[in-house]
Amino acid sequence: MFKTIIEPFRIKMIERIRMTTETERRELIAKAGYNVFRLHSDDVLIDLLTDSGTGAMSAKQWAAMMRGDESYAGSPSFYRFEAAVQELMGFPLVIPTHQGRAAERILFSTMCKPGDIVPNNTHFDTTRANVEFAGAKAVDLPCLELADLSSEFPFKGNMDVEGLKALFEKEGRERIPLVMITVTNNSGGGQPVSIANMREVAGVCRAFDRPLYLDACRIAENAYFIKLREPGYAGKLVRDIVREMCDLADGCTMSAKKDAIVNIGGFLATRNADLAQQEQNLLILTEGFPTYGGLAGRDLEAMAVGLHEGMEEDYLQYRITSTGYLGNHLHEAGVPILRPPGGHAIYLDAARFAPHLQPLALPGISLCVELYVVGGIRAVEIGTAMFGKRNVETGEEQPGPRELVRLAIPRRVYTQSHVDYIVEVVEEVFRRREHLKPFRFLEQAPFLRHFTAQYGMVE
């Protein structure tokens, strides 16, 4: 009815943004080895590096933290958290962890052995790293529609069902301990997965007697897209759609730092009691006792409240509409983005943004550097730096599947004027796009290299 997007909350406390100049930022990014991860956060004006743990907690969450019980074992804070997961997602066995990657490490360490294969619609960086650390191979099976980044297909996060069947038939069920679907598909542009696709994937898993797991960190946003786009779901509540998604799965991992809107926390959930016992044993070894899992009681309380708040309809309407506003304005200005807009982020198509830069010239890194220099915006590359492969023996680099730059929107943090500023900065960088410089690696780690790598500008 109205064009203006209003935030469904009021501001109760503010945090100062330190304003910097373009000259200062040019020096700061060079000092950081041209890696935005290495910047000090107070040197950033608008931080779109990630939506993980960067959201603003509500008054109800802060109030709940005050009743956090810090008992080592049997804390009532755990049982309130456990009840929230069981109520909203239906998984009976809940194992808390300090964040999502800890849940991934425990899951894959327990279920995988060297030589195994784990298919996913698209593994994100920590998921892939934990699969590979367990000695298994991470295989991405995105739907064919994702190949056309500019199409308006509504569920580009879907898994390639025929590809999954072919993988089972080629490799055999013994080599595939589980199948995973990431909702929404983060590496695939924050695109949602349809219920229909999940149902087909679950059918394949049943046919080959293998469990289906969800990477559920953005499950509420995925459910809202189903409500908006999938026939038959317009009149359903988001929490009911979430439950329907979970009912198709045997378990999940979740970084609660996304849709549960907390600064730290996650969990692993399952229906398999024997597997849960093994996972709890590993949890005790590296995270903590099963009723705290590396978290304070106050963090468990915040998660319990945040799981409910993240599924509120008015919040999700604002969240998806605001992200879409950013994406649609950039699209109308001619800026190449992955269409349609995702839920938690807008993905700039760096390959089309800077066509004069080949993948091994790291166009996404170049674009991230320029966004910071021009407007103080910190974004993240999801391309060759993050997902390319380096031959350790020869030093030869292979490009990643796509060259994207993600503008991830923290939850309940920035206002509409901040979003308008982001639009202006991206448009200005797009006008200067022919001046984007090639980059190369100077230093890189063997795992998750994009976090700590240092780059050099190629003149």
Side-chain angles (χ1 to χ4, degrees):
M1 181 175 175
F2 299 108
K3 294 180 180 179
T4 303
I5 305 163
I6 69 165
E7 293 79 7
F9 50 82
R10 296 178 298 184
I11 295 170
K12 198 167 189 175
M13 183 171 64
I14 65 163
E15 181 180 357
R16 177 179 174 265
I17 295 174
R18 188 177 79 83
M19 308 304 287
T20 55
T21 66
E22 185 169 329
T23 300
E24 287 178 297
R25 293 192 293 269
R26 198 175 298 280
E27 294 174 356
L28 289 165
I29 194 65
K31 186 178 178 182
Y34 296 102
N35 186 343
V36 293
F37 280 97
R38 300 169 68 98
L39 289 168
H40 292 192
S41 62
D42 54 1
D43 292 328
V44 175
L45 299 187
I46 305 289
D47 202 342
L48 309 181
L49 184 73
T50 180
D51 64 319
S52 178
T54 57
M57 290 200 298
S58 69
K60 287 185 178 180
Q61 285 178 293
W62 283 108
M65 289 177 71
M66 294 305 295
R67 71 173 181 177
D69 183 279
E70 307 303 338
S71 300
Y72 187 88
S75 166
S77 297
F78 167 76
Y79 295 110
R80 282 188 282 269
F81 156 71
E82 180 188 51
V85 176
Q86 291 170 339
E87 175 191 349
L88 294 169
M89 306 180 81
F91 297 115
L93 304 168
V94 183
I95 299 169
T97 59
H98 79 274
Q99 63 185 82
R101 70 190 63 182
E104 293 168 350
R105 184 190 61 81
I106 291 171
L107 175 66
F108 299 129
S109 296
T110 304
M111 296 193 70
C112 297
K113 62 183 184 301
D116 280 349
I117 295 171
V118 178
N120 199 321
N121 49 352
T122 312
H123 293 80
F124 198 57
D125 55 358
T126 62
T127 321
R128 181 181 303 278
N130 276 299
V131 169
E132 294 175 349
F133 191 73
K137 180 181 179 182
V139 173
D140 293 339
L141 296 172
C143 66
L144 300 179
E145 291 83 357
L146 182 59
D148 183 357
L149 300 186
S150 60
S151 82
E152 298 293 331
F153 185 72
F155 291 105
K156 286 183 179 177
N158 284 353
M159 179 177 270
D160 178 358
V161 179
E162 294 304 316
L164 179 63
K165 291 178 184 176
L167 185 68
F168 269 110
E169 290 165 359
K170 177 184 177 183
E171 302 293 346
R173 61 181 292 276
E174 295 78 13
R175 289 193 65 194
I176 302 175
L178 76 157
V179 175
M180 199 165 209
I181 297 183
T182 304
V183 291
T184 55
N185 186 342
N186 191 0
S187 297
Q191 298 293 306
V193 180
S194 70
I195 285 280
N197 182 255
M198 288 186 59
R199 194 172 289 118
E200 287 188 77
V201 172
V204 174
C205 291
R206 285 195 302 272
F208 288 93
D209 192 25
R210 280 296 178 256
L212 172 63
Y213 272 72
L214 303 179
D215 178 342
C217 61
R218 298 180 181 88
I219 193 169
E221 292 174 4
N222 197 106
Y224 193 76
F225 277 122
I226 289 171
K227 181 183 178 80
L228 292 178
R229 299 177 181 176
E230 192 157 1
Y233 285 89
K236 291 196 174 185
L237 295 175
V238 165
R239 60 186 293 151
D240 293 337
I241 300 172
V242 167
R243 184 59 179 268
E244 186 173 343
M245 294 169 69
C246 291
D247 285 346
L248 293 169
D250 298 279
C252 78
T253 60
M254 184 171 186
S255 168
K257 297 164 68 177
K258 284 81 168 177
D259 273 357
I261 326 178
V262 291
N263 303 129
I264 197 69
F267 62 88
L268 170 60
T270 182
R271 306 185 195 281
N272 187 323
D274 293 336
L275 184 63
Q277 184 62 59
Q278 298 175 51
E279 290 166 344
Q280 283 188 342
N281 291 341
L282 189 54
L283 179 91
I284 293 170
L285 180 65
T286 61
E287 291 281 307
F289 194 75
T291 56
Y292 78 90
L295 291 166
R298 56 184 174 270
D299 299 320
L300 295 167
E301 296 280 5
M303 278 199 292
V305 175
L307 282 165
H308 285 276
E309 291 187 349
M311 296 184 194
E312 290 175 356
E313 306 272 332
D314 57 352
Y315 156 73
L316 284 165
Q317 181 185 24
Y318 142 77
R319 170 84 172 150
I320 302 303
T321 303
S322 181
T323 304
Y325 173 94
L326 171 59
N328 290 330
H329 274 66
L330 293 176
H331 178 65
E332 289 165 7
V335 178
I337 68 168
L338 195 156
R339 297 284 300 173
H344 72 286
I346 295 301
Y347 292 70
L348 306 178
D349 185 349
R352 285 190 292 151
F353 200 108
H356 62 288
L357 298 179
Q358 295 301 308
L360 296 183
L362 307 178
I365 296 300
S366 182
L367 181 48
C368 285
V369 169
E370 198 67 9
L371 287 169
Y372 177 71
V373 170
V374 172
I377 293 174
R378 179 158 66 168
V380 67
E381 188 259 19
I382 299 183
T384 292
M386 184 179 287
F387 287 119
K389 295 290 185 181
R390 178 175 180 265
N391 187 310
V392 178
E393 295 179 357
T394 65
E396 182 180 357
E397 290 278 356
Q398 292 183 340
R402 287 169 289 277
E403 300 300 325
L404 303 174
V405 167
R406 185 184 70 179
L407 308 175
I409 315 297
R411 292 163 181 80
R412 305 188 297 206
V413 170
Y414 294 120
T415 67
Q416 197 57 43
S417 62
H418 290 110
V419 176
D420 287 330
Y421 174 78
I422 296 166
V423 171
E424 290 187 42
V425 172
V426 176
E427 288 180 355
E428 178 60 28
V429 173
F430 187 58
R431 282 190 286 271
R432 305 184 189 187
R433 61 191 180 278
E434 294 181 1
H435 301 291
L436 291 175
K437 301 290 187 182
F439 281 81
R440 63 185 179 89
F441 282 99
L442 297 181
E443 295 181 11
Q444 57 178 292
F447 287 100
L448 298 170
R449 61 183 184 176
H450 55 287
F451 286 135
T452 58
Q454 294 197 53
Y455 307 100
M457 186 184 297
V458 180
E459 296 295 343

